[in-house]
Amino acid sequence: MHLRVVFLTVALLSAVVWPIRFAHAQCGSNPASCCIAHASPGCSDQACCQVICGADPFCCGVQWDAVCAALAQANCGVCGVGCGVPSAGGCCAPKLTPACSNAPCCTLVCASDSFCCDVEWDQFCAQTAAQFCGVCSSPCGGGSSEDCCVPHEGPGCSNADCCEAICDVDPFCCEGEWDTVCAGQAQLACGVCGVGCGAPNSGDCCEAKTTPACNDTFCCTLICAADSFCCDVQWDEKCATAAIEFCGTCADECGSPAAGECCIARAAPSCSDATCCERVCAADPFCCSDAWDAVCANAALDSCGICGIGCGAPGSGDCCSPHATPSCSDGLCCEAVCAFDGLCCEVAWDAACAEAAGILCGDCGGVCGVSGGANCCQPSNSPGCADANCCLAVCVLDPFCCVESWDQFCANIAAEGCTVCTTGCGLPDAGDCCEARTTPACSDSECCLAICTADPFCCEGAWDQACADEAILVCGACSERCGSPLAGDCCSANGTPSCSDAACCELVCTADAFCCSFEWDTLCADAAADLCKECGTTTPGDLNGDGIVNAADLTLLLDSWGSAAADLDGDGTTGAADLGILLNNWN
């Protein structure tokens, strides 16, 4: 269960963030200064800490990093420049700001030369500190020639300011040795390391590479808190995938690795092949401005020549059955299985791959996307959840969620990255997309996303009548219900389930459920003609449509005995029950 350990911190982060939105227990209880970065959450000044963690819960949930310290310095008013202030900097090296962080030394030097505390801690101030204070013989700065960004056996490192800042938080770094923890903190907090979280040359967080870390400080810190391999060794494909899933910094533009396969429909715009994407969007700008839907994916299949065999390609074969070629035709299922076993996408979709699909993928009898399944945004005792997209994405990160149970960790990962949790679209209890109500979103994920893209109020405010009307026009699911204007005429066969007059439709479907479940065929239209005044019949039993039930209708019924021609009760045969209906309505 390696991935269970790797992604545990991400789940814990989500679990911790919710309660501390209102009361940050780490504020005031952590003796570390708010003005400098350190490895633990929270800081010593309770008021400052509450403000910063209210804006960035990461600072109280995981680590008071360089971003948190910078926010404190900019907003709190407790990080002024003065003797003993941690952000004032080291005493042993010259700098452009006054004072230094060691209070006794600073006070001693400024007593002899007030310029050092009033204007600038220049070379003379640093020399005075080195001569009289006894703090400059530390392993920081001149006491070490070792790089702060690299672990080494001895204590301290060559950059005095960085070294002192790290040792203020973790004295072991200056008393024992500058180990991987010290070097990691330097990479996160000091800004002197060429490669590290936030360093400009660390590379894009959304792309895999051979070097560690990436150039977005927040995203890099978040991912490395979950998987230290990404900052210690290499920002590989798993790190980039996690960044795409959780950071929200990977732009959906033509050619972006985050944009997704051109051959597979999805709710986000653009696709990862720049040439194909630009060609499709030139013909249909909607594909790059709103969503790469089925029309866009089909255009890619027809015109790009890149949709051969691969996850989601129509020719890749059934995911539920083994075959000699790699990958399978259901993109999400394929990607989830190949995350567990890369050979399924590299060599062949063998029996083991099909068996994995049977565990994961709803269409193959698996736990993801099963109708009536658990809410992905809440924990449950069973594995998997109802939204296939969210379920498969989470299980790629943590297989436990699809093998054992969808516990709080799984729900927290879903809450961080799944559209179904961030918008409410697709939640089982969100409500019917075709009906207005006072709550936002609706239960059909694709329909909901399409409507909310055009009108965000439908997901942010309420799913009102305008949202429901738009769903009826746009979403095919609404045409399959009684009363939908898209359902077709009740008085004739229309090729779709149900019909447009709600009362007539419900009357006919009560007698013959086939008409609403499968197709409104000629038998349904005949039943409507018999039962619904909209189709010209006012009274059951008026078979000739003259407005009365009499001997003429009785003759027609007897002539049709045993056939369906005068079937009044919907059982498919004209018989004694139909005769009873006619006689009960005799005029």
Side-chain angles (χ1 to χ4, degrees), residues 288-429:
C288 280
S289 62
D290 293 90
W292 194 269
D293 60 13
V295 175
C296 310
N298 288 334
L301 287 168
D302 292 338
S303 61
C304 292
I306 61 171
C307 303
I309 293 176
C311 282
S316 292
D318 183 12
C319 295
C320 309
S321 304
H323 43 266
T325 55
S327 307
C328 67
S329 57
D330 184 307
L332 280 170
C333 179
C334 177
E335 290 171 4
V337 171
C338 290
F340 294 107
D341 185 354
L343 294 177
C344 298
C345 281
E346 296 168 4
V347 181
W349 193 268
D350 58 18
C353 308
E355 183 178 353
I359 295 172
L360 291 172
C361 309
D363 288 345
C364 301
V367 297
C368 287
V370 178
S371 178
N375 185 340
C376 295
C377 313
Q378 299 175 359
S380 71
N381 293 325
S382 58
C385 66
D387 186 272
N389 293 5
C390 180
C391 178
L392 290 170
V394 170
C395 290
V396 167
L397 299 178
D398 189 348
F400 180 91
C401 303
C402 279
V403 175
E404 298 293 338
S405 70
W406 193 269
D407 62 11
Q408 187 66 57
F409 299 114
C410 310
N412 288 342
I413 296 174
E416 286 288 324
C418 293
T419 301
V420 67
C421 299
T422 56
T423 66
C425 286
L427 288 176
D429 57 355

Side-chain angles (χ1 to χ4, degrees), residues 23 27 29 35 105 118 195-196 253 289 296 301 332 365 417 431 476 542 576 582:
C27 291
S29 62
C35 307
C105 181
D118 295 337
V195 176
E253 58 185 25
S289 62
C296 310
L301 287 168
L332 280 170
D542 181 15
L582 186 146

Side-chain angles (χ1 to χ4, degrees), residues 2-8 10 238 241-243 245-246 339-340 391-401 413-414:
H2 169 68
L3 281 175
R4 188 68 186 167
V5 176
V6 167
F7 283 90
L8 183 60
V10 172
K238 288 184 178 179
T241 300
E245 180 74 19
F246 291 104
F340 294 107
C391 178
L392 290 170
V394 170
C395 290
V396 167
L397 299 178
D398 189 348
F400 180 91
C401 303
I413 296 174

